[in-house]
Amino acid sequence: MKLRKAVPFILPVAVWVSITVYMALLQYVVTPIIKPAEGFSCGAGVLLFVALQGDIVWALSFIAAKKFGLSIKGAAAGLPVMYTLFAVYHVPSQYLFVYTDEWSFMFTDHPPMNRFFAAFWITLQFGIIMLITATAVYAKAKPKEKE
């Protein structure tokens, strides 16, 4: 029973660890091998990587909601923990809409995003997936009322 109370804090740690391992493998193993192509295939690759990140978060949230009875309040309670982990212990340079390095696009230089602001966007993206998953599992598990 103690594990059920700890699930809101275990889930963000599990998401952070999984995404960190995934990003490390992507950055240091996969990317040097395939050397991202220019144009459309690069954009399709980014969408694929973002979808994989979302699937990791969805799967962990689904398991936590199904097996341990994670509630919507519990998932929301874990978001500050996830934000802290992404802000302090992670370099969020390869996430959608997040850039912590200076980059150029269409002849315009973009300054790097603040690390804590980037962590906010990452937490928001993954938090929405967690909350939607917990809401769906919770709504599906409710018994139907008799008319």
Side-chain angles (χ1 to χ4, degrees):
M1 292 300 165
K2 289 182 180 182
L3 186 60
R4 279 189 181 210
K5 291 181 181 179
V7 166
F9 302 105
I10 292 173
L11 179 62
V13 172
V15 167
W16 177 78
V17 167
S18 300
I19 295 297
T20 302
V21 169
Y22 165 77
M23 292 304 291
L25 288 173
L26 179 68
Q27 187 170 3
Y28 299 113
V29 177
V30 176
T31 303
I33 292 172
I34 62 171
K35 299 282 187 196
E38 297 292 325
F40 177 76
S41 61
C42 184
V46 168
L47 291 176
L48 175 67
F49 294 146
V50 169
L52 285 173
Q53 292 173 19
D55 286 343
I56 291 169
V57 176
W58 172 83
L60 290 171
S61 301
F62 184 80
I63 291 167
K66 269 294 220 206
K67 192 166 187 134
F68 302 112
L70 177 67
S71 67
I72 299 160
K73 289 179 186 176
L79 294 180
V81 174
M82 185 184 292
Y83 171 78
T84 304
L85 289 169
F86 277 116
V88 178
Y89 297 110
H90 195 65
V91 179
S93 60
Q94 293 188 352
Y95 293 94
L96 188 63
F97 308 126
V98 174
Y99 49 95
T100 53
D101 298 328
E102 189 171 337
W103 61 285
S104 297
F105 180 72
M106 298 294 286
F107 308 109
T108 306
D109 290 333
H110 297 275
M113 185 182 284
N114 181 321
R115 180 185 188 117
F116 296 104
F117 188 60
F120 168 78
W121 284 114
I122 296 168
T123 304
L124 180 67
Q125 292 168 27
F126 292 156
I128 289 170
I129 296 169
M130 284 171 48
L131 292 172
I132 289 173
T133 305
T135 303
V137 171
Y138 180 71
K140 192 174 182 181
K142 275 188 166 181
K144 294 181 180 179
E145 295 180 18
K146 293 183 179 180
E147 295 180 11

